[in-house]
Amino acid sequence: MSDEPSIPVSPDHEAEIPESHPRYESLLTRHRIEHGVDIGITSRQGLIAQGRGEAYDYLLGERTLDSADAAARAAAAHFLLADHPVVSVNGNVAALVPGEVVELAEATGADIEVNLFNRTDERMERIAAHLREHGATEVKGLTADGRIPGLDHARAKVDADGIGSADVVLVPLEDGDRAEALAAMGKTEIVVDLNPLSRSARAAAVPVVDNIIRAVPNITRHARELADAAPAELRDIVDAFDAEAALADAERAIREGGEAE
Ligand code: ATP
Ligand code: MG
């Protein structure tokens, strides 16, 4: 179906996918990723990562599990408690949720930093420009004067005043090695990843096992709702969240379908 020439690739034509289509969200997501590749912000490997994500989303029922919603709430509480929260953006994230990332950063006072597995200066610049087109005022990642210890040179680059000095980092769709290295630096790591078995999800203090197109707006919604909450209430939300239980619930949902009792 996706090869049909009548299905447009540009988000300008997203309206042409009928919302009544049973797999509307999935088709929309594919078109955004394709468009991301066309305009040079998403790598071709990003298409493969998307396919992997889609498979898990299908198995999870293409919905937000209650356990993923609890994770999103814990993520929001972490962001609001943080001294220096940062949202890390790669080519898939930029293609799928650019405006939503900007809204999350605004709701929580977080920095936005471009961080690529397959880093090229051209793609870094294009993603930064794309985010600015979607309302970002400052985009970090281009200075690259900091390093994540334990990774090879190209993969280790971060901004010293961005991810380098962050206490809480949201890393959606992150590669397992970097997720583990960031956690080893002592940062509180929030991962969005549809695969509950992924090393990235397992390394996270808060694994949000949900599609990024649902997860990011959901974290923002929780952050807005908790904007006036006292620090003690936020800490209670953080403490009550159980990462292993959330991962186990996602695995259970894949095996059994349906919500937990
Ligand atoms: P590792 O075990 O090292 O983490 P990996 O296979 O997960 O390996 P990547 O391909 O870099 O490594 O990760 C892509 C991850 O992103 C996959 O786990 C995939 O499920 C997830 N993913 C892809 N698209 C989405 C999406 N739209 N929303 C949420 N997660 C997604
Ligand atoms: Mg992974």
Side-chain angles (χ1 to χ4, degrees):
M1 280 295 284
S2 63
D3 292 334
E4 240 176 62
S6 61
I7 298 182
V9 296
S10 161
D12 299 341
H13 299 102
E14 274 175 6
E16 290 178 28
I17 306 169
E19 275 185 53
S20 58
H21 192 290
R23 310 212 53 243
Y24 172 77
E25 216 181 47
S26 162
L27 291 176
L28 194 66
T29 304
R30 279 188 203 174
H31 290 309
R32 286 195 183 167
I33 288 283
E34 276 185 84
H35 182 65
V37 174
D38 286 345
I39 64 173
I41 61 174
T42 307
S43 71
R44 283 182 298 164
Q45 296 210 358
L47 293 170
I48 297 167
Q50 171 62 29
R52 194 148 47 208
E54 249 184 51
Y56 281 101
D57 206 13
Y58 192 91
L59 293 170
L60 287 161
E62 295 176 328
R63 72 213 148 118
T64 301
L65 299 176
D66 287 346
S67 54
D69 184 59
R73 195 167 178 80
H78 271 296
F79 261 63
L80 295 172
L81 283 168
D83 289 325
H84 182 198
V86 176
V87 183
S88 174
V89 174
N90 65 20
N92 286 49
V93 176
L96 292 176
V97 285
E100 292 85 345
V101 161
V102 173
E103 281 189 41
L104 173 62
E106 276 170 9
T108 58
D111 278 341
I112 297 174
E113 177 160 340
V114 183
N115 201 274
L116 301 182
F117 188 78
N118 300 301
R119 187 187 177 104
T120 67
D121 286 343
E122 195 189 348
R123 211 149 68 76
M124 293 290 294
E125 295 283 358
R126 283 194 183 173
I127 291 174
H130 188 68
L131 291 167
R132 284 194 288 266
E133 277 165 30
H134 284 83
T137 45
E138 199 194 350
V139 179
K140 294 190 168 165
L142 298 143
T143 316
D145 53 349
R147 296 285 176 272
I148 306 170
L151 296 178
D152 71 67
H153 186 71
R155 308 243 139 101
K157 290 182 182 176
V158 289
D159 277 14
D161 69 349
I163 290 175
S165 58
D167 54 348
V168 174
V169 197
L170 172 67
V171 282
L173 282 56
E174 182 57 278
D175 142 77
D177 267 0
R178 281 205 304 193
E180 284 172 1
L182 282 168
M185 278 178 91
K187 300 188 188 299
T188 298
E189 190 168 34
I190 301 159
V191 164
V192 176
D193 193 323
L194 278 158
N195 177 3
L197 301 171
S198 156
R199 284 185 300 147
S200 322
R202 300 199 161 264
V206 180
V208 184
V209 183
D210 199 7
N211 196 314
I212 184 145
I213 65 172
R214 296 187 297 268
V216 170
N218 199 25
I219 297 170
T220 305
R221 184 176 64 81
H222 282 298
R224 288 187 177 138
E225 217 176 273
L226 293 169
D228 297 323
E233 188 190 335
L234 297 174
R235 250 174 254 119
D236 285 347
I237 292 169
V238 162
D239 291 345
F241 178 73
D242 182 338
E244 278 185 28
L247 292 172
D249 184 61
E251 282 185 48
R252 181 207 53 76
I254 287 172
R255 276 197 313 272
E256 298 167 16
E259 288 290 352
E261 290 294 302

